[in-house]
Amino acid sequence: MPGVPLDGFGREIDYLRISLTDRCNLRCTYCMPLHGPAFGTREDVLTAAEIEAVVRAAVGVGFRKFRLTGGEPTLRPDLLEIVARIACVPGVADLAMTTNAVLLPRLAPGLAAAGLRRVNVHLDSLDPERVARLMRWGTLAEIWAGIEAAEAAGLRPIKINAVVLRGENEADVVALAALTRERDWHVRFIEAMPLGGGEPARVARGGLVPTAETRARIAAALGPLVPLPPRDVADESSNHRLLGARGVVGFISPVTEPYCGTCNRMRLTADGRFHLCLLNDDELDIRTALRRGADTRTIGALLLRAVHHKPAGHLLAIGRSTEERAMHQIGG
Ligand code: SAM
């Protein structure tokens, strides 16, 4: 087994987030504009076989953890094939997916059978009207049915990701956190990040609610949040438990409490580029090499080059973020 690759700052990078598509069946206000995002063509997007080739190369240079994301990964017609191909690669220790869950009632059993371990589901509120306003094309009932389908299929632990937005759902965090009293779910609150310029970036910039405020709001309503020891140093979520609760309340604070120093991620965009840091435009093309028939060693060498060039951290504090790509194009 190869050792875990280190980047130029000594961080262990062993986690690849793979975007399967830049398309989505929702239009969350802080993520995608309602009209006019330019989507890649079918030819732009890596095939199932190309994705498997990258995963084999990644395992070959020490990567262990993989996550499918997007856009909305469940929109890929060949999703089950992709999961099955990755799950069969020796050395893949973890395979998870980030999704809005709308299509999970149909897909969850097949995904579990194909080798997916667990899902993170994106849900910003338990108020149906607010979900309709923030996530636009989806409904709470659809997402909830998807969460239940994932749980029934054994895709556990269920993690819920809620982006907290000023003037929208900052009070809804209490009801979401209260879910953990009865259920062994992880409910995580994410600070909004400006990405990609344009409308979503503006919404996120103006909508930031600092984690300290969200944490205080939950504690005031539901009682103390007891900090839990980190499961591993690269966990971006600062985890807590309400007294007597079954589940976990987590806070992901890229803006006010950045965790770049322990970042363990590399991203692969749907159109075949290694994206070196979520909040930065640096990318390294891999699709050209794949389509010229590059072997596993060559792909692995390109991945190591990407790891080596990972920036030290994001520059949100001085107002810089990615301009060329929005969240749905990078893979959240
Ligand atoms: N469609 C899937 C979903 O909704 O989870 C996967 C892709 S989505 C881009 C992944 C995650 O990114 C979601 O949890 C979403 O809330 C989060 N996200 C999107 N835009 C964001 C932003 N501007 N700031 C913080 N989180 C964001």
Side-chain angles (χ1 to χ4, degrees), residues 30-31 69-72 98-100 122 161 163 191-193 327 332:
Y30 46 79
C31 187
T69 181
E72 174 50 42
T98 299
T99 173
N100 60 41
H122 169 205
N161 289 339
V163 177
E191 288 178 340
M193 294 173 272
M327 186 68 136

Side-chain angles (χ1 to χ4, degrees), residues 50-246:
E50 287 167 342
I51 291 168
E52 181 190 341
V54 176
V55 170
R56 285 190 184 277
V59 168
V61 297
F63 278 65
R64 299 281 171 265
K65 299 197 298 185
F66 298 85
R67 172 174 297 276
L68 306 178
T69 181
E72 174 50 42
T74 58
L75 294 184
R76 274 289 284 246
D78 53 355
L79 177 63
L80 291 185
E81 181 193 342
I82 293 169
V83 169
R85 280 176 177 264
I86 298 175
C88 287
V89 176
V92 170
D94 192 19
L95 177 56
M97 182 170 76
T98 299
T99 173
N100 60 41
V102 167
L103 297 177
L104 285 188
R106 178 158 55 83
L107 292 173
L111 287 168
L116 189 73
R117 301 271 181 90
R118 57 204 170 80
V119 287
N120 289 11
V121 175
H122 169 205
L123 174 62
D124 292 334
S125 176
L126 295 179
D127 176 330
E129 281 173 25
R130 200 116 52 220
V131 169
R133 212 164 61 216
L134 264 177
M135 304 177 77
R136 301 198 275 209
W137 294 356
T139 68
L140 176 63
E142 287 171 320
I143 296 170
W144 196 261
I147 296 171
E148 291 193 324
E151 195 167 42
L155 296 169
R156 299 206 185 99
I158 297 285
K159 296 189 183 177
I160 310 273
N161 289 339
V163 177
V164 187
L165 217 61
R166 175 80 62 211
E168 291 288 350
N169 62 339
E170 68 255 68
D172 302 2
V173 298
V174 172
L176 282 163
L179 287 173
T180 65
R181 284 179 162 160
E182 306 299 329
R183 301 173 192 256
D184 59 357
W185 297 354
H186 295 219
V187 176
R188 294 126 48 101
F189 299 101
I190 307 177
E191 288 178 340
M193 294 173 272
L195 277 106
E199 174 208 330
R202 273 198 307 279
V203 170
R205 220 179 275 281
L208 174 69
V209 180
T211 280
E213 185 181 324
T214 300
R215 207 167 13 211
R217 182 172 276 116
I218 293 170
L222 301 177
L225 281 160
V226 181
L228 300 174
R231 266 179 317 112
D232 76 74
V233 287
D235 190 353
E236 80 277 29
S237 175
S238 152
N239 292 328
H240 297 70
R241 203 185 293 279
L242 291 165
L243 292 177
R246 294 181 62 205

